[in-house]
Amino acid sequence: MKKFLPQKLLAKKPSLKKFSWQKLSSKKPSLQKLFGAFLSSSIFALFFGATSLSAAAGDDVIKLLESKLNRTFSLVKFEQLNDTKMFLAVVQDKSNGYRTLLLTDDKQKNVAVVPMFFSSDKTNAERINKEIADIESYNFRVQNSAKLNELFASIPKDYAITIQGASDKITYIVSDPMCPHCQDELANIESRLEKSTIVMIPVGLLGQASMDKAAEIQAKIKGAKTPKEQIQVLREIYARTHSPSAQSQEYSAKVINVTNKIQSSNLIEAVPFIYEAVK
């Protein structure tokens, strides 16, 4: 992969080796931090209670956790696994915002924290492992929310692309125009706009073409006055068949500056990076 070379503008060239196309799923807080010292006394973090499925689905899981840990939780997800009497539950600690994946039986009498999962059922294995990765990514963002907020506040307002959505809730998306997963994410941007306003930050992490496309976006997006027009510009330039046109040094310098800022933060290791702002 060709690296961007103009030394006059770069204080430090982006180091592309540490970036991947896949979403971040590392740097998670430890389970002990999530559930406190209780976990240190139980190898498998298995709880026993005496509840039944008389309450609404998942409610007894919350009651059991709160009775054992003296902390309050909310239920994010409660779903049955394929061809089993087991249910997955995602709970969120109200005191710190962290989420944890649990498994429980159909009676909700036994609950186990799930740091790893193995199954002969491929569907269940993929489903649980995706939940684990999503929760790790979510907790990383919660753990680093102050730093992420500071980072995004430092991006020049004339660089970040604000696309007004149905809500004033802010979702930041760091995206590379040459990244296949970023292109796929852009294809679904309307669904995100139904829930929040999006602040798109194009970067050039994947070579010269990425830099050129990000610079072209900066040059053309100013003429887009509505969310529909902004999305049209982004999709035109993100298209796999699109060849970027040459842009002025001014736009290229802006892309380099923001790309270096994102990379040197050590907070974002993969694109697309999606962050729902935490106040």
Side-chain angles (χ1 to χ4, degrees):
M1 185 178 297
K2 184 177 179 181
K3 293 185 179 180
F4 193 64
L5 297 177
Q7 301 292 335
K8 293 182 179 179
L9 298 178
L10 274 175
K12 180 177 69 174
K13 290 188 291 183
S15 175
L16 304 184
K17 64 181 181 180
K18 68 180 289 187
F19 281 85
S20 73
W21 288 341
Q22 297 179 350
K23 294 181 180 180
L24 181 69
S25 61
S26 60
K27 294 188 177 179
K28 58 183 180 298
S30 67
L31 285 173
Q32 186 164 349
K33 183 171 183 178
L34 299 185
F35 268 173
F38 180 88
L39 293 182
S40 64
S41 63
S42 174
I43 297 176
F44 297 103
L46 189 63
F47 309 93
F48 297 92
T51 58
S52 67
L53 205 56
S54 58
D59 284 359
D60 286 338
V61 169
I62 297 299
K63 292 177 182 177
L64 181 56
L65 288 178
E66 292 180 345
S67 70
K68 297 295 183 181
L69 298 176
N70 295 319
R71 297 166 74 173
T72 56
F73 297 87
S74 59
L75 186 68
V76 178
K77 184 180 293 187
F78 188 79
E79 298 175 351
Q80 187 170 7
L81 293 180
N82 186 46
D83 293 331
T84 75
K85 292 184 178 181
M86 297 171 61
F87 289 76
L88 70 83
V90 178
V91 298
Q92 183 165 323
D93 189 323
K94 291 184 178 180
S95 66
N96 56 32
Y98 290 138
R99 292 181 179 179
T100 302
L101 178 62
L102 311 171
L103 287 182
T104 183
D105 56 20
D106 58 338
K107 303 295 185 181
Q108 301 182 65
K109 295 176 67 174
N110 305 292
V111 180
V113 178
V114 185
M116 293 193 304
F117 183 80
F118 303 97
S119 174
S120 59
D121 186 305
K122 183 179 179 181
T123 300
N124 284 338
E126 290 179 350
R127 185 176 177 186
I128 291 292
N129 287 322
K130 182 181 184 303
E131 287 291 345
I132 292 172
D134 288 347
I135 289 171
E136 289 174 350
S137 180
Y138 177 88
N139 288 340
F140 170 80
R141 287 157 171 75
V142 171
Q143 185 181 36
N144 292 280
S145 60
K147 293 179 180 178
L148 286 166
N149 290 343
E150 183 179 357
L151 171 64
F152 289 125
S154 73
I155 303 298
K157 294 188 181 301
D158 65 347
Y159 186 92
I161 302 165
T162 301
I163 307 174
Q164 184 63 48
S167 166
D168 289 334
K169 178 182 177 181
I170 300 297
T171 298
Y172 293 96
I173 302 179
V174 179
S175 179
D176 189 304
M178 291 298 291
C179 159
H181 295 292
C182 299
Q183 293 161 357
D184 292 342
E185 176 62 35
L186 181 61
N188 300 311
I189 195 170
E190 284 87 357
S191 63
R192 288 195 180 276
L193 288 170
E194 294 175 359
K195 301 177 181 178
S196 69
T197 292
I198 290 175
V199 177
M200 178 80 80
I201 303 173
V203 291
L205 294 167
L206 301 177
Q208 184 69 55
S210 293
M211 287 286 186
D212 291 344
K213 282 194 172 188
E216 186 177 359
I217 289 170
Q218 288 298 307
K220 292 184 176 180
I221 203 70
K222 307 302 181 186
K225 304 302 181 183
T226 66
K228 183 177 180 180
E229 291 174 352
Q230 290 173 307
I231 294 170
Q232 183 177 351
V233 169
L234 290 169
R235 284 182 172 156
E236 173 191 342
I237 298 173
Y238 269 65
R240 291 173 172 84
T241 56
H242 179 77
S243 297
S245 57
Q247 301 299 321
S248 69
Q249 189 179 59
E250 174 190 358
Y251 293 120
S252 297
K254 287 182 177 181
V255 173
I256 293 169
N257 178 59
V258 170
T259 299
N260 281 336
K261 183 185 291 287
I262 292 292
Q263 189 174 18
S264 63
S265 72
N266 293 320
L267 292 170
I268 298 173
E269 297 186 349
V271 288
F273 183 89
I274 300 167
Y275 171 65
E276 296 180 358
V278 178
K279 293 182 180 181

